[in-house]
Amino acid sequence: MLPRHLSAFRPCPLLSRPFSAAPVSRHENPLGLPQRGAPPQIPRRGGPIEKRPIANVRKVIAVASGKGGVGKSTVAVNLAFGLSDLRDPDTSARLRVGILDLDIFGPSVPTLMGLQDSGEPELTSAGALRPLVNHGLPTMSMGYLLPRAPESDSSHDTPVVWRGLMVQKAVQQLLFDVDWSMGQKGAALDVLVVDMPPGTGDVPLTLGQLVKVDGALIVSTPQDVSLADVRKGIAMLRKVSVPITGLLLNNAHYICPTCSITSPSPPTPQYLFGPPDRFRATAARLGIPILAELPLVPGVSAAGDKGVPYGLVEVGKREEDGRGGMEWIEGMKAAAAKVWEAVEGEKREIS
């Protein structure tokens, strides 16, 4: 059963043909979508083009890092659920939140949302992709669009083998050819959380040049090798005028899960990947607030593999993670509240 804030969405008319039947005739249309007018163009030497909002989306928050393997996708999914628990101060309604996975080569959102076997998204009568919904949140990902391998009945192992121009065009289509209104005229997401790939290449550059991004949450782990790439990622986002909302330290420490949760004295944190000193120094030097320092919690990974955000895991099962699980939940809630406070501001008119 969908939450109340999504139950009002009505199905929209759909094209009869499956998505996989759409021809991929040239690099301008790598996803094979029906033509919907001229897409925005990548800026050339003539100067930057004006950034535009995403249709039916009020605020865009990117979850990024220059480094791979730091937990961006897990943070992005759980941030989205943390935001969906917040309420609009004007209407007191829960925020409408969606998730866009922009990792073209290694999409993780389908697995983390339990949608890896959901099949291809349908197309609306206007030729837009219709988001897939689970746990009450609409999502879109390249992982939903991959064809099934000839020797398999799934697309789990299907690679994307594209050069840069194809990637740029695919990102544009994922940004501007998804119907986030879910078929209800005038409906809109309050927040779209965008899960970014690692690095400083085509995808973050395309997003930063074409879209009005309201904030970016930067994820890191304590190691120097991670922080070095994170600093590069922050510098790149600043070059394309993406505001940095805050830093989040993942796997900051480990707390013994078998130690008594009712003990008056908390167990001593173990810094398996090094102390947080260098992370905190980096945040201070760059003038970026720290949103949370999340512990390493086995249950977070286990829940993600099952397609369930950690905040939706039954409380009894989360108790197996002890104080670390409680600290993780509270840290993510705090990060979501700080992100929304930073980007809420004046409500943008939606198209």
Side-chain angles (χ1 to χ4, degrees):
M1 182 176 179
L2 292 179
R4 182 179 299 175
H5 71 280
L6 282 176
S7 60
F9 285 129
R10 296 187 295 272
C12 55
L14 304 174
L15 294 181
S16 58
R17 63 175 179 171
F19 175 80
S20 59
V24 182
S25 58
R26 53 184 183 272
H27 66 260
E28 287 87 354
N29 187 16
L31 302 187
L33 299 179
Q35 294 302 309
R36 290 160 42 87
Q41 296 300 309
I42 298 296
R44 302 299 180 186
R45 291 185 179 181
I49 64 172
E50 183 179 356
K51 296 182 182 183
R52 58 187 270 192
I54 297 174
N56 302 305
V57 173
R58 292 195 173 99
K59 299 291 180 181
V60 177
I61 298 170
V63 177
S65 174
K67 188 68 176 174
V70 297
K72 290 184 302 298
S73 298
T74 298
V75 168
V77 166
N78 283 277
L79 174 69
F81 279 93
L83 288 167
S84 69
D85 279 337
L86 302 178
R87 294 185 180 274
D88 187 302
D90 296 329
T91 65
S92 296
R94 289 183 182 273
L95 299 183
R96 295 188 177 101
V97 184
I99 306 172
L100 174 60
D101 185 354
L102 278 190
D103 195 334
I104 301 298
F105 297 107
S108 300
V109 166
T111 297
L112 294 172
M113 289 292 291
L115 291 167
Q116 66 270 36
D117 295 315
S118 60
E120 298 167 344
E122 297 168 321
L123 300 179
T124 69
S125 59
L129 291 163
R130 186 180 180 190
L132 300 182
V133 180
N134 198 16
H135 307 306
L137 292 189
T139 71
M140 182 50 60
S141 171
M142 187 69 197
Y144 305 147
L145 308 175
L146 299 176
R148 296 173 183 266
E151 68 281 358
S152 172
D153 61 352
S154 77
S155 61
H156 298 175
D157 299 327
T158 302
V160 174
V161 187
W162 285 347
R163 296 187 186 275
L165 187 56
M166 289 280 281
V167 174
Q168 292 177 21
K169 293 295 184 177
V171 169
Q172 288 183 51
Q173 291 182 304
L174 289 172
L175 289 171
F176 300 113
D177 289 319
V178 178
D179 179 19
W180 294 108
S181 74
M182 301 291 289
Q184 184 178 1
K185 186 177 181 180
L189 296 179
D190 294 297
V191 185
L192 179 64
V193 175
V194 181
D195 180 24
M196 302 294 291
T200 57
D202 292 315
V203 176
L205 190 59
T206 301
L207 175 74
Q209 290 179 323
L210 297 183
V211 175
K212 294 178 180 177
V213 181
D214 298 281
L217 184 154
I218 309 299
V219 182
S220 181
T221 50
Q223 303 97 316
D224 282 340
V225 68
S226 177
L227 289 169
D229 287 347
V230 163
R231 290 192 295 270
K232 296 173 185 175
I234 291 172
M236 188 278 293
L237 290 173
R238 283 177 165 171
K239 281 188 175 182
V240 291
S241 302
V242 172
I244 309 299
T245 303
L247 284 166
L248 184 145
L249 182 61
N250 200 20
N251 298 339
H253 53 270
Y254 178 73
I255 299 176
C256 169
T258 59
C259 300
S260 175
I261 199 169
T262 59
S263 173
S265 57
T268 303
Q270 304 296 314
Y271 298 106
L272 304 181
F273 303 110
D277 302 1
R278 292 183 293 273
F279 169 80
R280 294 171 182 172
T282 297
R285 185 169 67 255
L286 297 176
I288 301 173
I290 295 174
L291 302 179
E293 296 184 6
L294 302 181
L296 174 63
V297 177
V300 174
S301 296
D305 287 343
K306 294 177 182 177
V308 180
Y310 192 59
L312 294 182
V313 174
E314 296 177 12
V315 174
K317 293 183 178 180
R318 287 210 310 261
E319 287 179 353
E320 298 175 2
D321 292 319
R323 290 183 183 271
M326 294 173 57
E327 185 177 318
W328 202 97
I329 290 292
E330 292 305 314
M332 184 53 65
K333 285 183 178 179
K338 292 174 184 176
V339 166
W340 178 243
E341 182 181 1
V343 305
E344 180 185 6
E346 199 75 28
K347 279 193 176 180
R348 178 194 303 159
E349 292 295 325
I350 63 169
S351 55

